[in-house]
Amino acid sequence: MTAYQETVRTFIATAISTEAHQVLEEAAGRLRQDIPQGVGWVRPEGIHLTLKFLGNIRPEMVDRVLDSLAAPAAMSAPFQLGLSGRLGVFPNSRRPRVLWAGIDGDLAALSAFQEAVEEAMKNLGFSPEERPYSPHLTLGRVRRGVSDAALAKISSSVTAAQLPGAQPWQVDSFHLFQTDLKPSGSVHTVLGSVTLDAPNAAPGRP
């Protein structure tokens, strides 16, 4: 096995609806026209709602991660999410690094499940995230070396942009994704999935 095959780059996330993808693709297209340089855009098919970034793991850890996700998934009922209509940047408008679209819906259920996933991954030895979980959909990332003027343009363009609504969608599964970094952009592959299947679970309480 060669060095680059010894680990796989992974994260835990759920998919969004086809309609939401279309809305975000159109919004990103308008932003690209207004921001011609300085941003690496996420492929439309690569937009997911991420719960936990695991980083590089050894292939034999994949089954252990999926096994650890099974318990919180079995205690969690499906829930609905939607687009909030908001666009923004992280960490702030002066130094934007990530361009994002907001999420709304049953955020209590999402947050509770994310906390359960965080605890399950902690038990496997993954470091817990220090920052509070902020659900969002990443549209693009600002490249290094962008001028202050360009940063200001990026922030103002995102702030002024409009994001149409989309019908809420049901979240009933989460996936362990592998990321392959390619010159044309990141390619994500599902390594395994878990299904939320606790019909009597109280909302927001996995």
Side-chain angles (χ1 to χ4, degrees), residues 111-182:
S111 178
F113 185 69
Q114 191 274 335
E115 289 177 5
V117 168
E118 190 76 64
E119 185 65 22
M121 294 303 100
K122 179 181 176 182
N123 291 337
L124 280 183
F126 292 97
S127 298
E129 179 60 54
E130 296 179 357
R131 294 170 296 184
Y133 180 60
S134 179
H136 65 279
L137 303 168
T138 298
L139 302 181
R141 296 177 177 85
V142 179
R143 295 190 173 98
R144 295 182 181 275
V146 176
S147 67
D148 288 345
L151 292 176
K153 174 62 175 174
I154 290 169
S155 291
S156 63
S157 295
V158 173
T159 301
Q162 300 293 318
L163 183 65
Q167 289 294 317
W169 62 89
Q170 176 142 305
V171 177
D172 55 18
S173 61
F174 282 82
H175 316 286
L176 178 63
F177 285 94
Q178 173 179 339
T179 298
D180 292 305
L181 303 177
K182 298 181 180 296

Side-chain angles (χ1 to χ4, degrees), residues 6 14 62 187 193:
E6 290 178 355
T14 187
V62 168
V187 176
S193 305

Side-chain angles (χ1 to χ4, degrees), residues 9-33:
R9 186 179 176 89
T10 56
F11 65 96
I12 300 165
T14 187
I16 64 175
S17 69
T18 299
E19 182 186 3
H21 270 295
Q22 292 172 343
V23 169
L24 295 175
E25 183 176 4
E26 292 170 3
R30 291 189 294 271
L31 284 172
R32 280 196 297 269
Q33 293 179 358

Side-chain angles (χ1 to χ4, degrees), residues 34-195:
D34 205 34
I35 309 171
Q37 298 179 2
V39 175
W41 299 95
V42 176
R43 294 183 181 195
E45 65 273 17
I47 298 176
H48 305 91
L49 177 59
T50 300
L51 284 192
K52 175 73 174 174
F53 177 70
L54 301 180
N56 294 323
I57 67 173
R58 296 185 65 83
E60 58 265 27
M61 281 293 296
V62 168
D63 287 341
R64 292 184 62 192
V65 169
L66 291 170
D67 288 344
S68 294
L69 292 175
M75 295 186 291
S76 304
F79 53 89
Q80 285 197 331
L81 295 176
L83 299 178
S84 70
R86 294 192 306 122
L87 295 172
V89 295
F90 289 142
N92 56 60
S93 59
R94 189 172 63 86
R95 291 290 176 184
R97 288 291 174 261
V98 175
L99 283 58
W100 54 263
I103 287 288
D104 66 9
D106 195 347
L107 298 182
L110 173 63
S111 178
F113 185 69
Q114 191 274 335
E115 289 177 5
V117 168
E118 190 76 64
E119 185 65 22
M121 294 303 100
K122 179 181 176 182
N123 291 337
L124 280 183
F126 292 97
S127 298
E129 179 60 54
E130 296 179 357
R131 294 170 296 184
Y133 180 60
S134 179
H136 65 279
L137 303 168
T138 298
L139 302 181
R141 296 177 177 85
V142 179
R143 295 190 173 98
R144 295 182 181 275
V146 176
S147 67
D148 288 345
L151 292 176
K153 174 62 175 174
I154 290 169
S155 291
S156 63
S157 295
V158 173
T159 301
Q162 300 293 318
L163 183 65
Q167 289 294 317
W169 62 89
Q170 176 142 305
V171 177
D172 55 18
S173 61
F174 282 82
H175 316 286
L176 178 63
F177 285 94
Q178 173 179 339
T179 298
D180 292 305
L181 303 177
K182 298 181 180 296
S184 57
S186 299
V187 176
H188 306 304
T189 303
V190 174
L191 298 177
S193 305
V194 293
T195 301

